Amino acid sequence: MAGKPPASAIGLGRGSGQPTPLPEARRPGVTTTLARRQSRTAWLMVAPLVLYLAALTLYPFGYMLVMSLFRYDLASWEPPSFLGLGNYQAAFADRTAAVSWRFTAVLAAAAVSIELLLGFLLAVLILDARGERWIRSALLVPMAVPPVVAGVAWKMLFNYQYGPVNWVLSLFGVSRVSWLGDPFWAGVGIIVADVWQWTPFVFLVLYAGLQSVPDELIEAARVDGASTGQLLWQVRLPLLRPLLWVVLILRLIDVVKLFDIIYMVTFGGPGSATHSISYYIYKVGLSYGWDVGYASALSLLLLAVVSLLVNLLIRGLRLRELLGF
Amino acid sequence: MDRVWTALRYAAIALALVFFLFPAYWIAITAFKVSAEWFTWPPIVFPTRLTLGNFLGTEGGFSGSLATAIGGIVPYLRNSAVVALGTAASSTLLGSLAAYALSRFKVGGMSLASWIISVRMLPPIAAALPVYAIFLKLQLLNTVWAVMMAHLIFTAPFATWILLSFFNEIPRELDEAAWVDGASPWTVFLRVVLPLSAPGLAAVASLSFIQSWGEFLMALVLTSSSDAQTLPLFLGRYITGWRIAWGPLAGAGLVTMVPVVAFSLVMQRYLIRGLTFGAVKY
């Protein structure tokens, strides 16, 4: 999904970690030509993807690196001129950029922590509940709904005059909230929409994790007289920790990319209150403005943040073991 | 005491289900509401008068709105289908080849594998501008090819990632036995490994399809007309500065949502494996 989607988790309790030697390691001499042929074939197999990705990611990376050093605004009809680090200086002085980074950070902190908490709670609630298959299917729905449609739905739900959200609140005597017109509530609205769409993902991963806790472990703890609560906190949660870590990083990576929901629900507004950094870059470089140089500098700053997260993720995934290297 | 807890537990589950299903339900019922009921207070949660007008254009709209139905949706539906199917097929193809080479021959070592995976994590906006420039040079802007190729940047690494875990689960002894019998790596891949990982291929193809179907930013940047725009972009037309045509908007949303939701419910067994990344046995 969205994003996305949606991404995914790790190598917990799977036997893929064993290194498997190529045949030549076992039968030296006999299969050397086979090994050479195999290695050539292997490169041939991976080549299409690698060349494709190189063309469409390494070239862009170089392009942005160069452009970020130039004053290059397509809207101004001036030819590009070398600027040095000026675009970066501008990025640090830009108030709207600061607002966008801050909103992205708040979103990440609020949405992701709610998602982790709620996802975990759901997983615990539903574990071994009656009808869990049905509940699981139902919870798959938000993840499958295209983010843009989710945005449309929340835009309707948050409508000031006729929206169901304000209607539900009115049943509790709360007067109408201007969800999309007030900077604070618009931010809350985006958080709610993200929580709606991605808590199910957190739930699924953690639920799968809970189910994979070996029965013998649970039995043993029960025999030792552990209560349900102790079982949860002292047996299940610790085993879930690596999974929680991976889900946390995956969600953080996704949040800095958040674009479609914002585009649909608030259009970044009111003012620039709900600009995510991705939305701001889009505005600067591809819609309201065509400031290629400045947008490139902002993109590279965003890439730096994401690379940091991706490195954490790759470490958290224990990729080396997963791949058997 | 136990009974109280059980009751509370199911009440909480029910509440969660209402929260997670309601927005989709709201799109669905609004799509069938008569125009008089789009804007009412209190909102009508269980409509009794249903209409197909929002789809057919017979419902009419409200004053000042141009968009009264989803009549123009067909080209967008076609573009979405072409792009998503093409993306699903090519990312499964590229991904399975690369994943096999990585799984069995450790091509390029850890660094190549983690580079491929990290491409999946790239923020689309960070690639959008230069990718726009590339397709401008190739004169592919506003074609389904450009959209498809842009989606492939993200779905193919994801496909590789998931298939790696599936391939790693197939015993290597099978490959080795076939090699000893004189089979080439290609034969082993096509005849032994692929058939055995059919569920993985299904998961990867479906996930790529769903991602491509719902993708918005790249399609927004690379296209400008119904020649290549996909469904998510079609939705934007009902939101004008001063009013929203709720009925048709919800109708278009429903058309955009139903195929992927239905698809993912049918494929859920495989999807969950893919999503949780076969990480944990499911």
Side-chain angles (χ1 to χ4, degrees), chain B residues 210-255:
Chain B
I210 292 171
Q211 279 175 44
S212 170
W213 185 271
E215 201 280 337
F216 181 67
L217 180 58
M218 283 294 189
L220 176 69
V221 171
L222 297 174
T223 63
S224 54
S225 79
S226 62
D227 287 344
Q229 286 190 328
T230 52
L231 281 175
L233 294 170
F234 183 75
L235 297 182
R237 69 174 44 206
Y238 295 107
I239 302 179
T240 59
W242 58 290
R243 238 181 168 180
I244 303 170
W246 280 21
L249 177 60
L254 191 65
V255 173

Short mmCIF file of all heavy atoms in Angstrom, two decimals, chain B residues 210-255:
data_model
loop_
_atom_site.label_atom_id
_atom_site.label_comp_id
_atom_site.label_asym_id
_atom_site.label_seq_id
_atom_site.Cartn_x
_atom_site.Cartn_y
_atom_site.Cartn_z
N ILE B 210 -1.89 -3.57 -6.05
CA ILE B 210 -2.57 -2.68 -5.11
C ILE B 210 -1.81 -1.37 -4.96
O ILE B 210 -2.39 -0.28 -4.97
CB ILE B 210 -2.75 -3.38 -3.75
CG1 ILE B 210 -3.75 -4.51 -3.89
CG2 ILE B 210 -3.21 -2.39 -2.68
CD1 ILE B 210 -3.85 -5.40 -2.68
N GLN B 211 -0.49 -1.47 -4.84
CA GLN B 211 0.31 -0.26 -4.68
C GLN B 211 0.21 0.65 -5.90
O GLN B 211 0.06 1.85 -5.79
CB GLN B 211 1.78 -0.61 -4.47
CG GLN B 211 2.10 -0.99 -3.04
CD GLN B 211 3.55 -1.44 -2.92
OE1 GLN B 211 4.45 -0.83 -3.46
NE2 GLN B 211 3.76 -2.54 -2.22
N SER B 212 0.29 0.03 -7.08
CA SER B 212 0.25 0.82 -8.30
C SER B 212 -1.13 1.43 -8.51
O SER B 212 -1.26 2.58 -8.92
CB SER B 212 0.62 -0.09 -9.48
OG SER B 212 0.39 0.56 -10.68
N TRP B 213 -2.15 0.68 -8.20
CA TRP B 213 -3.53 1.15 -8.37
C TRP B 213 -3.80 2.40 -7.53
O TRP B 213 -4.47 3.32 -7.96
CB TRP B 213 -4.49 0.03 -7.97
CG TRP B 213 -5.93 0.33 -8.19
CD1 TRP B 213 -6.79 0.94 -7.30
CD2 TRP B 213 -6.72 0.02 -9.35
NE1 TRP B 213 -8.04 1.03 -7.84
CE2 TRP B 213 -8.04 0.47 -9.10
CE3 TRP B 213 -6.44 -0.59 -10.58
CZ2 TRP B 213 -9.06 0.34 -10.04
CZ3 TRP B 213 -7.46 -0.73 -11.48
CH2 TRP B 213 -8.76 -0.27 -11.22
N GLY B 214 -3.24 2.43 -6.34
CA GLY B 214 -3.53 3.52 -5.43
C GLY B 214 -2.52 4.66 -5.48
O GLY B 214 -2.72 5.69 -4.86
N GLU B 215 -1.43 4.48 -6.23
CA GLU B 215 -0.35 5.47 -6.21
C GLU B 215 -0.83 6.80 -6.79
O GLU B 215 -1.53 6.85 -7.79
CB GLU B 215 0.85 4.96 -7.00
CG GLU B 215 2.16 5.63 -6.63
CD GLU B 215 2.36 7.00 -7.28
OE1 GLU B 215 1.74 7.27 -8.32
OE2 GLU B 215 3.14 7.80 -6.74
N PHE B 216 -0.41 7.89 -6.20
CA PHE B 216 -0.95 9.19 -6.57
C PHE B 216 0.12 10.17 -7.04
O PHE B 216 0.00 10.76 -8.11
CB PHE B 216 -1.69 9.76 -5.36
CG PHE B 216 -2.31 11.10 -5.60
CD1 PHE B 216 -3.36 11.24 -6.49
CD2 PHE B 216 -1.85 12.21 -4.92
CE1 PHE B 216 -3.95 12.47 -6.71
CE2 PHE B 216 -2.43 13.45 -5.13
CZ PHE B 216 -3.48 13.59 -6.03
N LEU B 217 1.19 10.30 -6.26
CA LEU B 217 2.14 11.38 -6.51
C LEU B 217 2.82 11.29 -7.87
O LEU B 217 2.84 12.25 -8.64
CB LEU B 217 3.19 11.40 -5.39
CG LEU B 217 4.26 12.48 -5.50
CD1 LEU B 217 3.66 13.86 -5.55
CD2 LEU B 217 5.22 12.37 -4.34
N MET B 218 3.37 10.12 -8.19
CA MET B 218 4.07 9.96 -9.46
C MET B 218 3.11 10.18 -10.63
O MET B 218 3.45 10.86 -11.61
CB MET B 218 4.69 8.56 -9.56
CG MET B 218 5.95 8.42 -8.74
SD MET B 218 7.24 9.47 -9.43
CE MET B 218 8.65 8.96 -8.50
N ALA B 219 1.93 9.61 -10.50
CA ALA B 219 0.94 9.78 -11.56
C ALA B 219 0.57 11.25 -11.71
O ALA B 219 0.40 11.76 -12.82
CB ALA B 219 -0.30 8.93 -11.27
N LEU B 220 0.49 11.95 -10.59
CA LEU B 220 0.14 13.36 -10.62
C LEU B 220 1.19 14.18 -11.37
O LEU B 220 0.89 15.05 -12.16
CB LEU B 220 0.00 13.89 -9.18
CG LEU B 220 -0.29 15.37 -8.98
CD1 LEU B 220 -1.68 15.72 -9.47
CD2 LEU B 220 -0.13 15.76 -7.52
N VAL B 221 2.45 13.84 -11.08
CA VAL B 221 3.55 14.62 -11.66
C VAL B 221 3.74 14.30 -13.14
O VAL B 221 4.03 15.18 -13.94
CB VAL B 221 4.85 14.33 -10.87
CG1 VAL B 221 6.05 14.93 -11.57
CG2 VAL B 221 4.73 14.87 -9.46
N LEU B 222 3.55 13.05 -13.52
CA LEU B 222 3.93 12.62 -14.87
C LEU B 222 2.82 12.72 -15.91
O LEU B 222 3.06 12.52 -17.09
CB LEU B 222 4.46 11.17 -14.82
CG LEU B 222 5.72 10.95 -13.99
CD1 LEU B 222 6.05 9.48 -13.91
CD2 LEU B 222 6.89 11.72 -14.57
N THR B 223 1.61 12.98 -15.48
CA THR B 223 0.51 12.98 -16.45
C THR B 223 -0.26 14.29 -16.42
O THR B 223 -0.20 15.04 -15.46
CB THR B 223 -0.49 11.85 -16.16
OG1 THR B 223 -1.07 12.09 -14.88
CG2 THR B 223 0.18 10.51 -16.18
N SER B 224 -1.00 14.53 -17.51
CA SER B 224 -1.76 15.76 -17.55
C SER B 224 -3.14 15.61 -18.18
O SER B 224 -3.93 16.55 -18.18
CB SER B 224 -0.96 16.81 -18.33
OG SER B 224 -0.61 16.29 -19.58
N SER B 225 -3.46 14.45 -18.73
CA SER B 225 -4.78 14.32 -19.36
C SER B 225 -5.30 12.90 -19.23
O SER B 225 -4.59 12.01 -18.72
CB SER B 225 -4.71 14.69 -20.83
OG SER B 225 -4.16 13.60 -21.56
N SER B 226 -6.50 12.69 -19.74
CA SER B 226 -7.11 11.36 -19.63
C SER B 226 -6.37 10.32 -20.47
O SER B 226 -6.68 9.15 -20.43
CB SER B 226 -8.58 11.42 -20.05
OG SER B 226 -8.66 11.81 -21.41
N ASP B 227 -5.37 10.76 -21.25
CA ASP B 227 -4.56 9.79 -21.99
C ASP B 227 -3.81 8.87 -21.05
O ASP B 227 -3.52 7.74 -21.40
CB ASP B 227 -3.53 10.52 -22.86
CG ASP B 227 -4.18 11.19 -24.06
OD1 ASP B 227 -5.35 10.84 -24.35
OD2 ASP B 227 -3.55 12.07 -24.67
N ALA B 228 -3.44 9.38 -19.89
CA ALA B 228 -2.58 8.59 -19.02
C ALA B 228 -2.94 8.69 -17.55
O ALA B 228 -2.43 7.94 -16.74
CB ALA B 228 -1.12 9.00 -19.21
N GLN B 229 -3.82 9.62 -17.18
CA GLN B 229 -4.11 9.79 -15.76
C GLN B 229 -4.85 8.57 -15.22
O GLN B 229 -5.66 7.95 -15.90
CB GLN B 229 -4.93 11.05 -15.54
CG GLN B 229 -4.08 12.30 -15.70
CD GLN B 229 -4.79 13.55 -15.26
OE1 GLN B 229 -5.99 13.66 -15.39
NE2 GLN B 229 -4.05 14.51 -14.74
N THR B 230 -4.56 8.27 -13.94
CA THR B 230 -5.16 7.10 -13.34
C THR B 230 -6.30 7.52 -12.40
O THR B 230 -6.49 8.70 -12.14
CB THR B 230 -4.11 6.31 -12.54
OG1 THR B 230 -3.45 7.21 -11.66
CG2 THR B 230 -3.09 5.69 -13.48
N LEU B 231 -7.03 6.54 -11.90
CA LEU B 231 -8.22 6.81 -11.09
C LEU B 231 -7.99 7.76 -9.92
O LEU B 231 -8.80 8.67 -9.71
CB LEU B 231 -8.80 5.49 -10.57
CG LEU B 231 -9.64 4.71 -11.57
CD1 LEU B 231 -10.06 3.39 -10.97
CD2 LEU B 231 -10.87 5.51 -11.97
N PRO B 232 -6.93 7.58 -9.14
CA PRO B 232 -6.77 8.50 -8.01
C PRO B 232 -6.77 9.97 -8.42
O PRO B 232 -7.26 10.82 -7.70
CB PRO B 232 -5.41 8.10 -7.42
CG PRO B 232 -5.28 6.67 -7.75
CD PRO B 232 -5.91 6.51 -9.11
N LEU B 233 -6.27 10.25 -9.63
CA LEU B 233 -6.26 11.64 -10.09
C LEU B 233 -7.64 12.12 -10.50
O LEU B 233 -7.96 13.29 -10.41
CB LEU B 233 -5.30 11.77 -11.27
CG LEU B 233 -3.85 11.53 -10.91
CD1 LEU B 233 -2.99 11.43 -12.14
CD2 LEU B 233 -3.36 12.64 -10.01
N PHE B 234 -8.45 11.17 -10.96
CA PHE B 234 -9.80 11.51 -11.39
C PHE B 234 -10.60 12.11 -10.23
O PHE B 234 -11.44 12.98 -10.42
CB PHE B 234 -10.48 10.24 -11.91
CG PHE B 234 -11.86 10.46 -12.44
CD1 PHE B 234 -12.06 11.06 -13.67
CD2 PHE B 234 -12.97 10.06 -11.71
CE1 PHE B 234 -13.34 11.26 -14.17
CE2 PHE B 234 -14.25 10.27 -12.20
CZ PHE B 234 -14.44 10.87 -13.43
N LEU B 235 -10.31 11.62 -9.02
CA LEU B 235 -11.09 12.06 -7.86
C LEU B 235 -10.95 13.55 -7.59
O LEU B 235 -11.87 14.19 -7.10
CB LEU B 235 -10.67 11.29 -6.61
CG LEU B 235 -10.90 9.79 -6.65
CD1 LEU B 235 -10.48 9.16 -5.35
CD2 LEU B 235 -12.36 9.50 -6.92
N GLY B 236 -9.79 14.08 -7.91
CA GLY B 236 -9.53 15.47 -7.59
C GLY B 236 -10.50 16.44 -8.25
O GLY B 236 -10.76 17.52 -7.73
N ARG B 237 -11.07 16.06 -9.38
CA ARG B 237 -11.88 16.99 -10.13
C ARG B 237 -13.17 17.41 -9.44
O ARG B 237 -13.79 18.39 -9.81
CB ARG B 237 -12.22 16.40 -11.48
CG ARG B 237 -13.18 15.22 -11.36
CD ARG B 237 -13.62 14.74 -12.73
NE ARG B 237 -12.47 14.69 -13.61
CZ ARG B 237 -12.55 14.80 -14.93
NH1 ARG B 237 -13.72 14.97 -15.50
NH2 ARG B 237 -11.47 14.70 -15.66
N TYR B 238 -13.60 16.62 -8.46
CA TYR B 238 -14.86 16.95 -7.79
C TYR B 238 -14.67 17.89 -6.62
O TYR B 238 -15.61 18.27 -5.96
CB TYR B 238 -15.56 15.67 -7.31
CG TYR B 238 -15.98 14.81 -8.47
CD1 TYR B 238 -15.30 13.64 -8.76
CD2 TYR B 238 -17.02 15.21 -9.29
CE1 TYR B 238 -15.66 12.86 -9.83
CE2 TYR B 238 -17.39 14.43 -10.37
CZ TYR B 238 -16.70 13.26 -10.63
OH TYR B 238 -17.06 12.51 -11.70
N ILE B 239 -13.41 18.17 -6.32
CA ILE B 239 -13.15 19.06 -5.20
C ILE B 239 -12.75 20.41 -5.76
O ILE B 239 -11.65 20.58 -6.26
CB ILE B 239 -12.05 18.51 -4.29
CG1 ILE B 239 -12.46 17.13 -3.78
CG2 ILE B 239 -11.79 19.45 -3.14
CD1 ILE B 239 -11.44 16.47 -2.91
N THR B 240 -13.66 21.35 -5.73
CA THR B 240 -13.31 22.69 -6.20
C THR B 240 -13.13 23.56 -4.97
O THR B 240 -13.42 23.15 -3.85
CB THR B 240 -14.42 23.28 -7.07
OG1 THR B 240 -15.62 23.33 -6.31
CG2 THR B 240 -14.64 22.43 -8.31
N GLY B 241 -12.64 24.75 -5.22
CA GLY B 241 -12.34 25.62 -4.10
C GLY B 241 -13.52 25.87 -3.18
O GLY B 241 -13.36 26.00 -1.99
N TRP B 242 -14.70 25.91 -3.75
CA TRP B 242 -15.81 26.35 -2.91
C TRP B 242 -16.85 25.29 -2.61
O TRP B 242 -17.66 25.42 -1.73
CB TRP B 242 -16.48 27.56 -3.53
CG TRP B 242 -16.99 27.32 -4.93
CD1 TRP B 242 -16.24 27.15 -6.05
CD2 TRP B 242 -18.33 27.20 -5.32
NE1 TRP B 242 -17.04 26.93 -7.12
CE2 TRP B 242 -18.33 26.98 -6.71
CE3 TRP B 242 -19.56 27.29 -4.63
CZ2 TRP B 242 -19.51 26.82 -7.43
CZ3 TRP B 242 -20.73 27.13 -5.37
CH2 TRP B 242 -20.70 26.90 -6.75
N ARG B 243 -16.83 24.18 -3.36
CA ARG B 243 -17.81 23.16 -3.04
C ARG B 243 -17.34 21.79 -3.49
O ARG B 243 -16.55 21.65 -4.40
CB ARG B 243 -19.15 23.47 -3.68
CG ARG B 243 -20.19 23.54 -2.58
CD ARG B 243 -21.53 23.81 -3.06
NE ARG B 243 -22.45 23.56 -1.95
CZ ARG B 243 -23.74 23.72 -2.07
NH1 ARG B 243 -24.27 24.13 -3.18
NH2 ARG B 243 -24.51 23.48 -1.04
N ILE B 244 -17.88 20.78 -2.85
CA ILE B 244 -17.51 19.42 -3.21
C ILE B 244 -18.76 18.68 -3.65
O ILE B 244 -19.77 18.70 -2.95
CB ILE B 244 -16.90 18.69 -2.01
CG1 ILE B 244 -15.69 19.47 -1.49
CG2 ILE B 244 -16.48 17.29 -2.38
CD1 ILE B 244 -15.18 18.95 -0.18
N ALA B 245 -18.69 18.03 -4.81
CA ALA B 245 -19.83 17.23 -5.26
C ALA B 245 -19.76 15.87 -4.58
O ALA B 245 -19.16 14.93 -5.09
CB ALA B 245 -19.79 17.10 -6.78
N TRP B 246 -20.36 15.80 -3.42
CA TRP B 246 -20.19 14.60 -2.59
C TRP B 246 -20.62 13.30 -3.27
O TRP B 246 -19.94 12.30 -3.18
CB TRP B 246 -20.93 14.78 -1.27
CG TRP B 246 -20.14 15.60 -0.30
CD1 TRP B 246 -19.15 16.47 -0.61
CD2 TRP B 246 -20.27 15.60 1.11
NE1 TRP B 246 -18.66 17.03 0.54
CE2 TRP B 246 -19.33 16.51 1.61
CE3 TRP B 246 -21.09 14.92 2.01
CZ2 TRP B 246 -19.19 16.78 2.97
CZ3 TRP B 246 -20.96 15.19 3.36
CH2 TRP B 246 -20.00 16.10 3.84
N GLY B 247 -21.78 13.34 -3.90
CA GLY B 247 -22.32 12.11 -4.49
C GLY B 247 -21.41 11.51 -5.54
O GLY B 247 -20.93 10.38 -5.39
N PRO B 248 -21.14 12.26 -6.62
CA PRO B 248 -20.25 11.74 -7.66
C PRO B 248 -18.85 11.45 -7.14
O PRO B 248 -18.22 10.46 -7.54
CB PRO B 248 -20.20 12.87 -8.69
CG PRO B 248 -21.40 13.69 -8.43
CD PRO B 248 -21.72 13.56 -6.98
N LEU B 249 -18.37 12.29 -6.24
CA LEU B 249 -17.04 12.07 -5.68
C LEU B 249 -16.99 10.71 -4.98
O LEU B 249 -16.06 9.93 -5.17
CB LEU B 249 -16.70 13.19 -4.69
CG LEU B 249 -15.38 13.06 -3.95
CD1 LEU B 249 -14.21 13.02 -4.92
CD2 LEU B 249 -15.18 14.21 -2.97
N ALA B 250 -18.02 10.44 -4.17
CA ALA B 250 -18.06 9.16 -3.49
C ALA B 250 -18.22 8.02 -4.49
O ALA B 250 -17.62 6.95 -4.32
CB ALA B 250 -19.20 9.14 -2.48
N GLY B 251 -19.00 8.27 -5.56
CA GLY B 251 -19.16 7.24 -6.59
C GLY B 251 -17.82 6.89 -7.23
O GLY B 251 -17.47 5.72 -7.35
N ALA B 252 -17.07 7.93 -7.57
CA ALA B 252 -15.76 7.70 -8.18
C ALA B 252 -14.83 7.02 -7.17
O ALA B 252 -14.05 6.14 -7.52
CB ALA B 252 -15.16 9.01 -8.65
N GLY B 253 -14.94 7.44 -5.91
CA GLY B 253 -14.13 6.82 -4.86
C GLY B 253 -14.45 5.34 -4.72
O GLY B 253 -13.56 4.51 -4.56
N LEU B 254 -15.73 5.03 -4.81
CA LEU B 254 -16.16 3.63 -4.70
C LEU B 254 -15.58 2.80 -5.83
O LEU B 254 -15.07 1.70 -5.62
CB LEU B 254 -17.69 3.57 -4.71
CG LEU B 254 -18.30 2.23 -4.33
CD1 LEU B 254 -17.98 1.89 -2.89
CD2 LEU B 254 -19.80 2.23 -4.54
N VAL B 255 -15.64 3.36 -7.06
CA VAL B 255 -15.08 2.64 -8.21
C VAL B 255 -13.58 2.43 -8.03
O VAL B 255 -13.02 1.40 -8.39
CB VAL B 255 -15.36 3.42 -9.51
CG1 VAL B 255 -14.64 2.79 -10.69
CG2 VAL B 255 -16.85 3.48 -9.78
#
